[in-house]
Structure formats: structure tokens, C-alpha cells
Amino acid sequence: MLRNRIALAALALFILIVIVSFGAPIYARDIAHADPFSSNISGTTTVNGKTVQVIQQGGGALGLGEIPIGPTWTSRYFLGADSQGRDVAARVLYGGRASLEIGIGSAVICCIAALILALIAGFYRRWVDSILSRLMDLIWAFPVYLLAISLATVLLTLQHPFINPSSLWIPTIIIAVVYVPYVYRPVRGQVLSVREKEYVEAATSQGASNFRLMFNEILPNVVTTVIVMLPLMIATTILTESALSFLSIGVQPPKASWGTIIDDGQALLYTRPWVAIAPGIMIVLTVLSLNILGDGVRDALDPRAKLRMKG
Amino acid sequence: MAVFVIRRLIGLIAVLFAITVMTFLIFFATPGVDPSRQLAGRNPQPAVVAAIKHQFGLDRPLPIRYLLMMKRLFVSRDLVSYGNQALKVVPAITSATPVTFSLVFGAAVIWVVLSILTGLLAVVFKGTIVDPLLMILALIGISMPVFWLGEVANLITQDRLHNTFLFHWVPPNGYTPLTANPWQWFLHLIIPWLTLSVLYIGFYARVLRANLLDVANEDYVRTARAKGLSERRVLLKHMLRTSMITFVSLFGLDFGVLVGGGAILTEVVFGLPGVGKLTYDSLVSLDLPVIMATVIYGAFFITIANALVDIVYARLDPRIRPA
């Protein structure tokens, strides 16, 4: 019972993070009164009744250079500004929206693609299965980050009128592709065993079409495996997205995600650490809630599962 | 056994070949990728583009280009970077490997020791508050992005607490080779080792705990207790030993992935000039040959490591060998 309650608390935390992140435009407009995507280098704000520059001169150990304003802990510049004078708190919320969209989107796409491929491979067997499984083995042979890096580099070098480098779809698809084998393998094994069950045989003898056999008879009996994996997959894809964005090959400017904000914050680490710390805390909370939730879902639906994901 | 080894080696060669083909296709056959344009700079003259195309063999048919690339990568080893033609790719990787190895090896020692300790403690204290507390800590460790943890570690040890007795010994980020000064090598790597190992301590502790609890109900554990062995002996000599099978096979895979380039984030954050950092530096300029070479290096390392693990396993456990 206690475990269930912890899992529910984790779910509540995750939903809260989603709501807050998707409320980013409201926060930026009504609370921070700032556009987190346009730079505001010469702007001013009010702290304790005094007007101060957003980018202050004479920061740093030698009193040279310029540093952005630190956390004011009030509605404007709650977490301070970044090197462009943009409101960090508003950016973290917008970044969260991008990270969540990519994380959830790629995990869902990955699971659906893996499910369909596994159904086809496990149902037709023979050469279809051989080809698909060998392809999956090949993807599996690459380290996840290196394959994602390869695909991202190539897609970013592409000069194609239909491909917009700052589209969130690019990291979403890349991350979905690299994790397909991790879902495909266990599901294919399940399809192979479910396929031999009596009810499938019964449906076959009634003259059910292959399509019907796959989607009406087999699919409902393997979909639990995928549902159990989904929260852990989202945790993994969010971590992967943040890593790719940190390496500057994930989300591209002007868009931002938690990973790109941490990357931006690296230059300000010793003067304005909150720029890098805040999005990291958001990642930890999100991934932690998903991991706890995933454990709970697994215990509830599939107590014997041995599968564990990690990021 | 010999048949198994030979079969595994043939499979290995097939996978290695497939890896090079796939990597080559991703980097040089994706429609729309034209490295020569990038090389020639802005508004290039057609003659310059053609010369560059010829120099890199980009005007040849695809299979020939593949063979040329593999020859320059493995036989003549004179593949050069697109961005900086003085940078020979293969020597750059070979000289970066010891750095990555130092990082991963030290982290591995830390994570094996600490995760076994954590897993055992959690099982010993099962039913008390210690067990769930350790497991929540482990879960937090798994949930932290390693590059962020590295930045926080930098913030604390290089800046905020650097002038206190706690961290005044931490040298600036960078690397000193083991052969040059072993003590400095050690000092430079302690914080990166700890940072890299956190995720694995959490993960391995959880896996080990689950395995220990699984075998706790096995007959041989009951027999060992019935023989009157001490609880400590049952735990260490009987339960831990069986549980280590999963642990060791996971370790082989993770060690391979990290040496093969998985440590890129840690290397970038701490400025360690390993293979990952080499990849990262070429990512900034989208330098395709260097990235391709590091990806092939990584995939090769992992595939070969996996094959070795399989063969060692078959040697230890005859049931794995196919009839």
C-alpha cells in the first residue's frame, strides 16, 4: 500500500511538472512580464524599489566584464537573467515544455514503432523476422549516444528546404529510433509466445485475416509489456534529450530545452550558478518521479518483470 | 568449444562489417549531405569544390568511396579531419584512448565497490528504514544527468568551496598522464571518477539488491542456513556469489559502452581530452570524418568486448554453448 502511495505521489509530481511547464507562456506574460526568447541586454528591472540594469557592468573577480543580474526571488527575474538578459525562470519553464514534448513524444513513437515491428517480426517469422531482428541487432551494437550523435550531426548538416534545423521533430525522431531495439526485443519474444496460444489458433480457424490476428488477438496481450516500459522510457528519453542538447546537437536555438539552458549556464557557472542548476533540478525531479512511477506501474501490472531501464 | 568460438568470431566480423557500412552510409550517403560545400567555405568557386571532392574521393561511386574510406581508416591510417587537415584522425583517437581508459577504469573500481556495499547493506537492513532510504538515494543517483552533476561538482570544488580545507587540493580541470605524474593523474581524476560512478552505483545497487532478494528463497540458501552457517557466511559466500552473475555481465556491457565513447559527457564537463572530448570538439564544427571514426571506434570496441564476454561465459558455463 505504501508503495502505491509513493507511486501516486510521483505521478502527481510529474503531472504538476507537466502543467507548470505547459503554463510557460502564461508565466512569461503575466508573472515575469518578459519574452524569454528575445535578448534584453540594455533592459532594467526593479529590485527593492531601485531600478537596476539587467546586465551589470563590472562583474567578475577583476571587476571587469559584464554579468547578468542574479536571482531577485521576485516575479521579474525570479532566477535572474542569462548572458542575453533573458528571464531564466521563464526559460526553464519553456525549456521544460520542449524537453517534455521531446521526451514523451519520442518515447511514444519509439514504443509504437517497436510494437508494430515486433508484431510483424513475431507474426510472420522466417525471413521477415530475420531481417528485422538483424537490423535491430545492428542498431543495438551502437552505443546509444554515439548513434544519436551520428544521426543528429548528419541531420544538422543537411541542407534541405523541408528540414528546419530548429524543429523539435529532429531530436524526437532520433531519440525514438535509437531506443527502438530496447523495446522491440522483449515485445518480439512475447509475440512469438502469444502467437502459439489456443485463442490465436481458434481465431485462425475461424478464418481471421492476418491483420485481425495481429491487432485484435495478439496486440492486446503484449501491450502491457509496452505500457510497463513507457514511464521508464520517458525518463530515459528525457535524459537523452538533455544530453544531446547539452552537446549542442539536440534542440537548436532559438528554441530552448533544459539541456540547452544547462549548456548556456556553463559559461556563467561560477558567477550565476542558478542558470545551470535550476534546469538540472527540474530534470532530476522529472526523471525521479518517472522512475518511481515506472517501478510502481511494473509492480502493479507485471510483478515478475525483470526488465529495468536506465538513463 | 572451438566451434563456438569460431562461430562467434565469424558473427563478430559480420557485425563489424555491417557497422562500418551503416556508419559510412549515415555519414556519406544520406541524401543532401555534401561535405565539400562545407569545406570550401562561403560562396565557393566550382573549381575549388571539384578539387576538394577529388581530394576526399567524393567524386567516385559509392562502393569505391566506402572502400577508399576504410583503406584510409584501417590500412594507411591517414584519414584527415575536414576542418583541420593537419589532424590525422586515427592517431588522434589512439592518443585519446588512455585518457578515456583512465577515467572509466577508476570510475568502475569505485562503482563496483560502492554498489556491492550498498546492495548488501540494503538487504541486511531490509525491514528497517535503511533499506528504502538507500534505494531512494540510488534512484536519485540514476535520475541525475551526469553532465549536470559534473557542473555542480565543478561549482563546489573549483569555486565555492575551493578555498576551504575540503577541496583546496582539487587541481584545475584537465588531465595529467599517469606516466608523467601518477599523483597528479590521481588528483585530476578523483572528482570525474566520483561523478561518473554515481549513476552506476545507484543502478548496480538496485540490481544487486533485487537479485539477492530473489535468491534468498532458493533451496541452496536454506540448506546453507540449515547447515548452521553464520548469516554473514550465507550472505557473502552463497547469496552474493550467485547474484554476481547478472552483475558481472552488466558490468562487461557498461564498461564497454563507456570506453567506447559513452563517457563523452563526463569528459566534456571536466575537460578531459579523451575520445569523447575528441568527438565533442568535432561536433561543434560538424567535422564528419572525425565523428565517423570515433563512432566506428566506439561500436568496434563494444562489439569486440561483447564477443569476449560471450566467449569467457561459454568457457565458464557450458550450458550457454550451443550444441
Side-chain angles (χ1 to χ4, degrees):
Chain A
M1 274 325 280
L2 178 69
R3 285 192 68 94
N4 284 345
R5 241 179 256 164
I6 293 175
L8 279 180
L11 178 65
L13 176 61
F14 179 67
I15 292 175
L16 182 72
I17 293 171
V18 172
I19 292 174
V20 168
S21 299
F22 279 80
I26 301 172
Y27 178 86
R29 193 184 64 222
D30 297 335
I31 300 178
H33 305 290
D35 176 1
F37 293 101
S38 61
S39 60
N40 185 22
I41 290 172
S42 52
T44 57
T45 185
T46 318
V47 181
N48 296 332
K50 276 180 282 184
T51 304
V52 289
Q53 293 279 321
V54 170
I55 301 286
Q56 294 158 342
Q57 297 297 324
L62 299 172
L64 300 168
E66 35 191 41
I67 55 167
I69 189 171
T72 62
W73 308 117
T74 58
S75 69
R76 293 201 66 190
Y77 292 106
F78 181 73
L79 291 173
D82 67 4
S83 54
Q84 305 286 316
R86 300 173 294 198
D87 189 306
V88 171
R91 281 179 72 75
V92 168
L93 295 187
Y94 266 103
R97 198 169 75 162
S99 290
L100 289 167
E101 280 172 0
I102 296 173
I104 297 172
S106 57
V108 169
I109 293 174
C110 168
C111 285
I112 293 176
L115 194 57
I116 293 174
L117 290 176
L119 272 176
I120 294 174
F123 185 79
Y124 289 105
R125 293 181 286 197
R126 295 177 219 287
W127 60 270
V128 181
D129 182 31
S130 302
I131 291 177
L132 283 174
S133 295
R134 286 295 87 72
L135 184 68
M136 291 298 138
D137 287 349
L138 186 56
I139 298 180
W140 183 288
F142 284 89
V144 167
Y145 283 133
L146 288 188
L147 184 59
I149 285 171
S150 313
L151 295 174
T153 327
V154 167
L155 288 179
L156 291 177
T157 5
L158 271 190
Q159 313 205 324
H160 198 284
F162 294 118
I163 295 178
N164 172 9
S166 69
S167 164
L168 294 187
W169 282 107
I170 294 182
T172 307
I173 300 290
I174 290 171
I175 296 169
V177 167
V178 298
Y179 284 111
V180 163
Y182 293 77
V183 185
Y184 170 89
R185 281 197 171 183
V187 179
R188 171 183 164 271
Q190 285 233 309
V191 174
L192 283 174
S193 79
V194 168
R195 196 190 189 287
E196 305 299 326
K197 292 271 162 68
E198 288 84 355
Y199 52 81
V200 178
E201 206 178 330
T204 316
S205 64
Q206 286 172 351
S209 66
N210 283 348
F211 188 84
R212 207 197 127 112
L213 283 177
M214 269 194 276
F215 287 91
N216 285 11
E217 304 295 330
I218 301 177
L219 179 66
N221 292 291
V222 296
V223 85
T224 324
T225 316
V226 179
I227 292 174
V228 167
M229 291 179 85
L230 194 62
L232 302 175
M233 278 304 295
I234 299 176
T236 312
T237 53
I238 287 180
L239 282 177
T240 312
E241 181 279 322
S242 70
L244 290 181
S245 295
F246 176 75
L247 295 173
S248 73
I249 47 170
V251 174
Q252 298 296 314
K255 295 215 169 73
S257 80
W258 286 331
T260 63
I261 300 171
I262 296 179
D263 190 23
D264 295 342
Q266 217 177 357
L268 295 168
L269 188 61
Y270 300 149
T271 49
R272 294 291 176 234
W274 276 102
V275 182
I277 290 181
I281 293 177
M282 294 302 283
I283 298 177
V284 176
L285 287 177
T286 313
V287 174
L288 185 62
S289 70
L290 284 165
N291 276 331
I292 296 175
L293 178 66
D295 273 6
V297 171
R298 190 185 56 218
D299 290 347
L301 292 181
D302 192 3
R304 278 173 306 163
K306 283 274 169 26
L307 179 122
R308 281 170 180 85
M309 296 291 297
K310 69 189 162 98
Chain B
M1 184 67 199
V3 177
F4 173 77
V5 172
I6 291 169
R7 206 184 286 170
R8 193 67 188 76
L9 288 181
I10 293 174
L12 173 67
I13 291 167
V15 173
L16 295 183
F17 174 70
I19 284 172
T20 58
V21 172
M22 184 164 147
T23 318
F24 174 79
L25 289 178
I26 290 177
F27 278 103
F28 296 103
T30 308
V33 172
D34 186 358
S36 55
R37 265 207 297 201
Q38 202 189 325
L39 286 167
R42 278 193 198 132
N43 305 321
Q45 309 247 313
V48 177
V49 175
I52 289 170
K53 276 197 165 150
H54 188 72
Q55 186 200 346
F56 287 95
L58 296 171
D59 50 355
R60 308 281 197 89
L62 208 54
I64 305 286
R65 271 163 60 191
Y66 168 77
L67 289 177
L68 276 177
M69 184 59 87
M70 290 308 124
K71 182 179 152 258
R72 301 191 72 184
L73 201 52
F74 293 110
V75 185
S76 55
R77 295 164 167 242
D78 59 351
L79 185 66
V80 291
S81 145
Y82 275 177
N84 169 11
Q85 298 218 3
L87 178 73
K88 289 225 165 103
V89 177
V90 179
I93 293 180
T94 349
S95 64
T97 311
V99 185
T100 306
F101 234 96
S102 305
L103 171 65
V104 177
F105 186 78
V109 172
I110 295 176
W111 100 56
V112 166
V113 173
L114 289 187
S115 64
I116 293 180
L117 218 59
T118 316
L120 283 176
L121 275 179
V123 171
V124 170
F125 288 101
K126 186 161 170 50
T128 69
I129 185 76
V130 179
D131 173 33
L133 205 66
L134 283 175
M135 285 306 110
I136 284 288
L137 279 178
L139 209 52
I140 293 175
I142 294 174
S143 305
M144 279 193 286
V146 64
F147 56 92
W148 177 75
L149 186 63
E151 288 202 347
V152 173
N154 271 338
L155 177 68
I156 294 171
T157 63
Q158 300 281 352
D159 192 67
R160 293 298 193 263
L161 297 181
H162 185 67
N163 292 326
T164 66
F165 69 98
L166 274 176
F167 294 114
H168 66 88
W169 52 270
V170 179
N173 282 338
Y175 178 74
T176 309
L178 177 63
T179 46
N181 185 340
W183 178 240
Q184 281 300 318
W185 173 83
F186 181 73
L187 284 184
H188 275 94
L189 283 169
I190 293 180
I191 302 292
W193 282 340
L194 290 170
T195 306
L196 179 59
S197 58
V198 165
L199 158 71
Y200 296 93
I201 296 171
F203 182 68
Y204 280 64
R206 285 171 61 83
V207 170
L208 187 64
R209 172 183 173 277
N211 274 326
L212 283 171
L213 293 179
D214 269 356
V215 300
N217 300 320
E218 297 272 341
D219 289 342
Y220 70 91
V221 175
R222 200 170 33 173
T223 312
R225 286 216 175 91
K227 282 195 298 187
L229 297 184
S230 69
E231 199 52 34
R232 179 196 160 107
R233 207 176 154 82
V234 173
L235 187 63
L236 295 182
K237 292 273 164 176
H238 290 79
M239 289 165 67
L240 184 61
R241 254 186 128 139
T242 334
S243 306
M244 286 307 279
I245 294 176
T246 329
F247 192 96
V248 170
S249 61
L250 278 174
F251 180 80
L253 295 177
D254 283 330
F255 190 84
V257 168
L258 284 177
V259 176
I264 177 169
L265 296 160
T266 316
E267 288 179 9
V268 169
V269 171
F270 292 105
L272 299 168
V275 183
K277 183 72 165 41
L278 183 68
T279 317
Y280 176 74
D281 292 340
S282 16
L283 280 181
V284 179
S285 56
L286 297 174
D287 196 343
L288 298 184
V290 185
I291 305 172
M292 185 195 71
T294 51
V295 169
I296 289 184
Y297 153 85
F300 265 41
F301 189 88
I302 291 161
T303 318
I304 293 172
N306 286 353
L308 286 180
V309 169
D310 277 2
I311 291 171
V312 171
Y313 251 79
R315 182 93 192 80
L316 296 176
D317 186 349
R319 283 172 304 176
I320 295 171
R321 289 178 224 159

